Amino acid sequence: MLLLAVDTATPAVTVALHDGESVLAESNQVDARRHGELLLPSVDKVLAEAGLKLDALTGIVVGVGPGPYTGLRVGLVTASTFATVLGIPVHGLCTLDGLAYAAGAAGIEGPFTVATDARRKEVYWARYEDPRTRVGEPAVDRPADIAEQVAGLPAVGQGALLYPDVFTDARAPEHQSAAALAALAVERLAAGEEFLPPTPLYLRRPDAQVPKNYKVVTPQ
């Protein structure tokens, strides 16, 4: 087994190689505006560090969000392209699940909350009973609107740090880790669990919209 894991659903551009037993190499950079610029060099970096080539991969793991439209699609398109060219499967995982799994590795047992920055003064979030068990589906809300639901719970992710009045017990990790995402995928593969399709989980419409009252000009 050799899995390449990528996630660009948050400001972190994160890539890792996992051989089914341990992480062979990883790269983590935080830059919300340069996902497309940083991802492929990061893939090259981890492959070179591990002394491997792309055709050695047996599968791709990709975070499907939730996340902002532009950054999220970079990782998904890249993962799907690699999988198609190499003829290998691509396994989608919720980005919040990856952060929850990383929180478990950092010592959080649960229950707790994962929250990432959704912009527009909102967060993408979900509650977890433990690092492998999510309660319900991910959602996007204003922090004040979910204050009662997350009150008193530890919280991880950048969204928790941005709104300390609501997430009063914010802890590490702040950013997504492809290494944790890969390790979670290895566990799920061993257990025969299903994965998500490599399609984006936006939870709301893209920021970019066609202007209202847009005038269409047709040729005479």
Side-chain angles (χ1 to χ4, degrees):
M1 177 185 294
L2 184 64
L3 299 177
L4 174 70
V6 302
D7 198 321
T8 58
T10 70
V13 180
T14 178
V15 179
L17 280 174
H18 201 295
D19 66 359
E21 295 185 0
S22 62
V23 175
L24 302 181
E26 63 180 304
S27 172
N28 299 290
Q29 300 177 77
V30 179
D31 192 327
R33 299 180 181 274
R34 298 175 64 209
H35 293 90
E37 184 179 340
L38 296 173
L39 182 56
L40 289 179
S42 296
V43 172
D44 289 340
K45 176 184 175 183
V46 298
L47 286 168
E49 185 176 329
L52 297 166
K53 296 187 179 297
L54 199 62
D55 60 8
L57 299 176
T58 62
I60 310 288
V61 180
V62 62
V64 302
Y69 177 78
T70 303
L72 176 55
R73 65 179 179 175
V74 171
L76 287 165
V77 169
T78 300
S80 294
T81 300
F82 283 164
T84 299
V85 171
L86 297 171
I88 57 178
V90 55
H91 309 293
L93 286 173
C94 174
T95 294
L96 302 183
D97 290 355
L99 268 162
Y101 191 86
I108 297 179
E109 297 180 354
F112 63 94
T113 302
V114 175
T116 61
D117 183 17
R119 303 174 186 172
R120 303 183 192 174
K121 297 181 180 181
E122 295 178 330
V123 293
Y124 298 117
W125 71 285
R127 283 186 55 172
Y128 290 79
E129 283 300 320
D130 58 61
R132 287 274 273 113
T133 309
R134 175 162 30 91
V135 180
E137 296 299 320
V140 57
D141 288 289
R142 289 183 176 273
D145 294 339
I146 60 173
E148 290 187 6
Q149 298 177 64
V150 303
L153 294 177
V156 303
Q158 188 182 42
L161 293 175
L162 288 173
Y163 302 98
D165 290 344
V166 172
F167 302 99
T168 56
D169 186 9
R171 305 184 189 182
E174 176 181 357
H175 295 293
Q176 174 68 312
S177 161
L181 200 70
L184 175 59
V186 169
E187 283 193 12
R188 291 192 172 183
L189 284 167
E193 297 178 20
E194 294 185 358
F195 288 83
L196 298 173
T199 55
L201 182 61
Y202 292 131
L203 299 186
R204 66 185 183 202
R205 289 180 295 177
D207 291 339
Q209 300 287 336
V210 176
K212 293 182 179 179
N213 303 317
Y214 180 76
K215 184 178 180 180
V216 178
V217 178
T218 55
Q220 299 292 330

